[in-house]
């Protein structure tokens, strides 16, 4: 699930410790180091590259999440990840693992741009509030600003770019029959068949998951990082960030996966001219899934999601840091 950038402050007891080990997750460079445009480029390219590398697992996650919605998907209820991967290769071809990935890449730059801009604006607003300003730059005040600002930025970015996320789900969920021919065709067809608001199906579940996702990632990452450095203060920042980021990603995915699954189901309501399955909104969708598929139905596709977390974190971190160094000498500094 996409979450807003929560810039995480350090919590060491000495300024020296904070200087060497303070690390945001996802990692964020200082503007004075590479400049705003280069920061957006680094973040956008790193995100797009990571998404492309893990696209096969992402598509498998979506296909398993939407099992049970329609009769043809119900036949997949006992299909393993390996069997579904073989089916994709045999029926759709190897390139089909990247269905919907183009719109994911298109989505990254505006999402990153809105997220970054909104985050900076929300930080200024929060710091201007007397009560928060009174806390100064101590650990609690700084963490509160990062946490709330990151959450609000995530909500803003998700809302602004949501139609692209919905189109990505529709394209990735297509199997042998092709109804949507591409990004432009999908946007036009959805507006024609379902109205403009059809582009925002499932937005409520998305926004509902932003806060918990950031809270869990923030808490697990900071707690684990603090403990790690208390035991092994000389370990590489890269190793600590990868390890803590992976664990925080798994914890966040586990806790918020049911909301993500409901979001995918609602995004596919009425897709390709099919009849609606869930007609009672977010809560009704939850009840319908539990009633027809049991509690475990809320976690369909969690295994490929777990498999995706660690390589995704590693790729985005390494790419981001590499681009940051390269762009620090670029024309937009």
């Amino acid at each position: 699930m996409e979450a807003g950038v929560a810039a995480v402050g350090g919590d060491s007891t000495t300024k020296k410790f904070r200087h060497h080990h303070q690390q945001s997750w996802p990692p964020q460079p200082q503007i004075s180091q590479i400049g705003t445009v280069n920061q957006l480029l680094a973040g956008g390219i790193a995100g797009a590259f990571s998404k492309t590398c893990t696209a096969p697992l992402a598509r498998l996650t979506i296909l398993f999440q939407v099992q049970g919605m329609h009769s043809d998907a119900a036949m997949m209820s006992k299909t393993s990840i390996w069997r579904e991967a073989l089916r994709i290769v045999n029926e759709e071809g190897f390139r089909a693992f990247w269905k919907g990935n183009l719109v994911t890449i298109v989505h990254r730059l505006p999402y990153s741009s809105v997220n970054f801009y909104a985050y900076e604006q929300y930080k200024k607003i929060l710091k201007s509030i007397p009560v928060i300003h009174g806390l100064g730059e101590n650990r609690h005040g700084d963490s509160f600003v990062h946490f709330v600002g990151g959450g609000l930025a995530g909500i803003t970015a998700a809302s602004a770019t949501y139609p692209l996320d919905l189109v990505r789900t529709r394209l990735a969920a297509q199997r042998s029959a092709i109804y949507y021919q591409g990004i432009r065709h999908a946007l036009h067809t959805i507006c024609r068949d379902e109205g403009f608001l059809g582009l925002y199906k499932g937005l409520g579940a998305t926004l509902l998951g932003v806060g918990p996702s950031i809270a869990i990632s923030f808490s697990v990452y900071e707690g684990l990082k603090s403990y790690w450095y208390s035991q092994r203060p000389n370990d590489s920042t890269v190793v600590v960030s990868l390890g803590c980021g992976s664990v925080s990603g798994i914890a966040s995915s586990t806790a918020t996966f049911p909301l993500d699954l409901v979001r995918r189901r609602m995004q596919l309501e009425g897709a390709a001219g099919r009849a609606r399955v869930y007609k009672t909104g977010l809560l009704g969708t939850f009840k319908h899934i539990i009633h027809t598929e049991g509690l475990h139905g809320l976690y369909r596709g969690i295994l490929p999601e777990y498999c995706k977390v660690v390589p995704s974190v590693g790729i985005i971190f390494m790419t981001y840091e590499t681009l940051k160094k390269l762009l620090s000498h670029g024309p937009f500094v």
Side-chain angles (χ1 to χ4, degrees):
M1 177 178 290
E2 294 285 354
V5 175
V8 182
D11 60 351
S12 60
T13 56
T14 67
K15 291 183 179 179
K16 183 177 180 181
F17 186 89
R18 289 190 64 173
H19 175 74
H20 288 291
H21 298 301
Q22 184 174 4
Q23 185 75 25
S24 299
W25 192 262
Q28 295 189 65
Q30 299 297 320
I31 296 177
S32 59
Q33 291 178 321
I34 65 170
T36 301
V37 175
N38 285 347
Q39 182 177 18
L40 293 176
L41 283 173
I45 293 172
F49 184 63
S50 174
K51 293 284 187 181
T52 300
C53 292
T54 58
L57 289 168
R59 186 170 184 231
L60 284 169
T61 298
I62 291 174
L63 288 174
F64 277 94
Q65 282 180 322
V66 301
Q67 287 176 6
M69 282 192 71
H70 306 286
S71 58
D72 59 339
M75 296 172 62
M76 296 169 55
S77 60
K78 296 183 180 180
T79 301
S80 67
I81 295 176
W82 178 246
R83 286 180 180 175
E84 179 58 13
L86 288 177
R87 183 203 65 77
I88 292 174
V89 173
N90 292 331
E91 294 182 11
E92 305 175 55
F94 187 73
R95 292 178 59 185
F97 280 115
W98 282 267
K99 270 188 181 179
N101 188 61
L102 178 59
V103 69
T104 300
I105 295 174
V106 172
H107 173 267
R108 293 313 300 173
L109 190 55
Y111 183 91
S112 298
S113 301
V114 173
N115 204 351
F116 172 79
Y117 179 79
Y119 178 65
E120 293 301 320
Q121 298 307 309
Y122 286 131
K123 277 202 308 182
K124 292 178 183 177
I125 294 171
L126 290 168
K127 288 181 178 180
S128 69
I129 299 174
V131 175
I132 299 175
H133 182 74
L135 294 175
E137 292 298 321
N138 61 42
R139 176 165 61 96
H140 299 294
D142 197 41
S143 295
F144 178 82
V145 170
H146 288 320
F147 175 70
V148 176
L152 292 174
I155 289 173
T156 303
S159 300
T161 60
Y162 189 78
L164 288 172
D165 183 60
L166 180 136
V167 168
R168 180 257 180 137
T169 298
R170 297 262 177 124
L171 293 175
Q174 292 187 131
R175 299 177 69 190
S176 300
I178 302 298
Y179 189 78
Y180 304 107
Q181 303 295 329
I183 301 173
R184 185 175 178 179
H185 180 260
L187 289 170
H188 173 75
T189 304
I190 293 168
C191 288
R192 183 195 66 198
D193 294 350
E194 305 165 53
F196 179 76
L197 292 180
L199 295 172
Y200 291 88
K201 287 180 177 179
L203 179 61
T206 299
L207 300 185
L208 196 60
V210 169
S213 178
I214 291 177
I216 294 166
S217 295
F218 183 98
S219 302
V220 174
Y221 179 78
E222 277 299 284
L224 187 58
K225 186 186 71 172
S226 179
Y227 176 77
W228 189 319
Y229 276 132
S230 70
Q231 302 297 312
R232 302 175 62 90
N234 297 319
D235 280 357
S236 166
T237 301
V238 173
V239 173
V240 175
S241 295
L242 290 176
C244 297
S246 297
V247 175
S248 68
I250 290 172
S252 176
S253 293
T254 302
T256 60
F257 194 80
L259 274 172
D260 191 53
L261 181 139
V262 168
R263 169 175 71 115
R264 299 297 186 195
R265 298 276 182 106
M266 295 184 75
Q267 286 179 333
L268 290 172
E269 277 287 85
R274 284 174 167 170
R276 293 180 52 137
V277 178
Y278 313 109
K279 302 178 182 179
T280 51
L282 179 61
L283 187 59
T285 302
F286 266 109
K287 290 181 177 179
H288 185 277
I289 293 172
I290 293 173
H291 177 71
T292 58
E293 304 171 52
L295 285 172
H296 67 277
L298 294 173
Y299 283 90
R300 289 185 184 275
I302 191 68
L303 186 55
E305 179 70 15
Y306 282 157
C307 295
K308 184 180 71 174
V309 169
V310 177
S312 178
V313 169
I315 293 168
I316 196 170
F317 184 85
M318 295 301 183
T319 307
Y320 192 86
E321 290 301 313
T322 301
L323 288 171
K324 185 173 70 172
K325 292 177 182 178
L326 292 174
L327 292 173
S328 64
H329 305 292
F332 301 113
V333 177

